[in-house]
Amino acid sequence: MKYSIFSLARAAFSGHKNWQRAWRDATPKSHYDVVVIGGGGHGLATAWFLASEYGIRNVAVLEKGWIGSGNAGRNTTIIRSNYGLPGNTGFYELSMKLWERMEQDLNYNTMVSQRGVINLYHSDAQRDAYARRGNTMRINGIDAELLDLAAVRKMMPFLNFDNARFPVQGGLLQRRGGTARHDAVVWGYAHAASALGVDIIQNCEVTGFVRDGSGKVTGVETSRGRIGAAKVGMAVAGSSSRVAAMAGMRLPIESHVLQAFVSEAIKPLIPNVMTFGAGHFYVSQSDKGGLVFGGDIDGYNSYAQRGNLPVMEDVCEGGMALMPMIGRIRLLRQWGGIMDMSMDGSPIIDKTPVDGLYLNAGWCYGGFKATPGSGLVFAHLLARDEPHKEAARFRLDRFRRGAMIDEKGQGAQPNLH
Amino acid sequence: MRIVCPFCGERELGEFTYLGDAKSARPAAGASEDEVFDYVYMRDNVAGPMSEYWYHGGGCRAWLKVARNTLTHEISSVEPAAGVGAKQAAR
């Protein structure tokens, strides 16, 4: 069905009792042209781009739980393209442009809100670093503005500007950045992909790969039986190493837990997405009024989808340094997701050494903003067997070649990215 | 998560810093490029019981070898990492 003002009015007059399902909950067929493992944002976006851009409609998305039950439903919903290194700048701007037309493309309200992302700076050195980043962005055709103290004061008068240790001096603003409704993104891609014939198969856990005599992957074993496939793509985030191990591969990835937090609802306060530059704290306010915020990963390997108190304390301290008045707001919810931390902090989208198996992983804790871009470039790789031009640097062998894309310059220590 | 340091007793997680998998051993000086690559970049990324290095920076500043389950965060053993500290702990 197509959503429009007319379908909304029709449904309103019938008491909203006659809405059709947004997408089909399919049962597996015996064979597909492409099987995508992982029914999160990236997997569903990949399936939609395969069907809409590359004309491959005999596609299944396999999800071990329900779609969007992993990191797609656990993030802080921030979208931006303020990266600094070749490879990242082009790719994330491609993704940003796809966010800007997503609702029209998918015929689904994903609540994309370009409310701006501002990174605050607190020292002269940090201002210089942000000026450099902003210039890098602008050279690459991405919008960026360096704001001075007066401009930030006008935009966010409620900040603790006179913090003795970390005074706010200004910020780097990307006006086109903002937030999107994460669950709606999952459902929007499911809605649009399903309409083009993609099978979305839930409660279907991949338990192994089917391979022929030459070692080529020809399908997957699942909890709902064997499913044949000409090509298999993995988009399983924190589970990448576990799924790759079923094909006998080790990856340059560690799985770490990242926590996110929501406060009780308050009146409109924070007009944008903002980050504290002297610690690690990022926050926006949801339409329901809750402050949605997060910080660093916990820092130890984990598959547990829950974190510990020291990081919670650190994140809340960051918030308090910027906005002491939020100290009396109660924390409502907190949760954890499992991040596929790569060795340079950048993603891997490539063919694997195993014929017929394709990898989309290493998103660290920045996967949400990449959702549409990731879907497009992974679909391109699956359809054409060659990398999309904006993902040409995200190769699996770049670590061996020394062609790292390390935004933070931390080296092969994933918990520092 | 709390870690029972063999030198300091039970301490909260914030006192400790994580290094990573204790299984991988630094290759010898004459090792091949493949071995060095494997050591620096590739990970088992264990889902289940894992042996790992933690540093007790907020306490005795000793390196510890901790056996912990990455699926549950349950810690089954903590011992001093190989080196001077291990000898002192044994005394």
Side-chain angles (χ1 to χ4, degrees), chain B:
Chain B
M1 226 157 85
R2 286 179 177 174
I3 296 176
V4 182
C5 173
F7 304 104
C8 311
E10 187 176 10
R11 296 296 184 94
E12 66 111 1
L13 191 63
E15 292 188 5
F16 299 87
T17 310
Y18 184 76
L19 179 68
D21 196 343
K23 199 187 113 192
S24 31
R26 179 184 283 269
S32 70
E33 199 171 302
D34 282 352
E35 287 172 83
V36 175
F37 167 74
D38 204 78
Y39 169 70
V40 175
Y41 292 110
M42 301 305 270
R43 298 288 188 273
D44 288 342
N45 202 10
V46 180
M50 179 172 174
S51 168
E52 51 197 21
Y53 286 125
W54 288 80
Y55 176 63
H56 194 186
C60 58
R61 297 195 283 170
W63 281 97
L64 306 174
K65 202 169 174 180
V66 176
R68 187 180 63 97
N69 190 320
T70 59
L71 293 167
T72 62
H73 295 172
E74 187 184 1
I75 292 171
S76 51
S77 79
V78 185
E79 56 188 65
V84 181
K87 287 186 203 130
Q88 286 179 350
R91 223 165 34 199

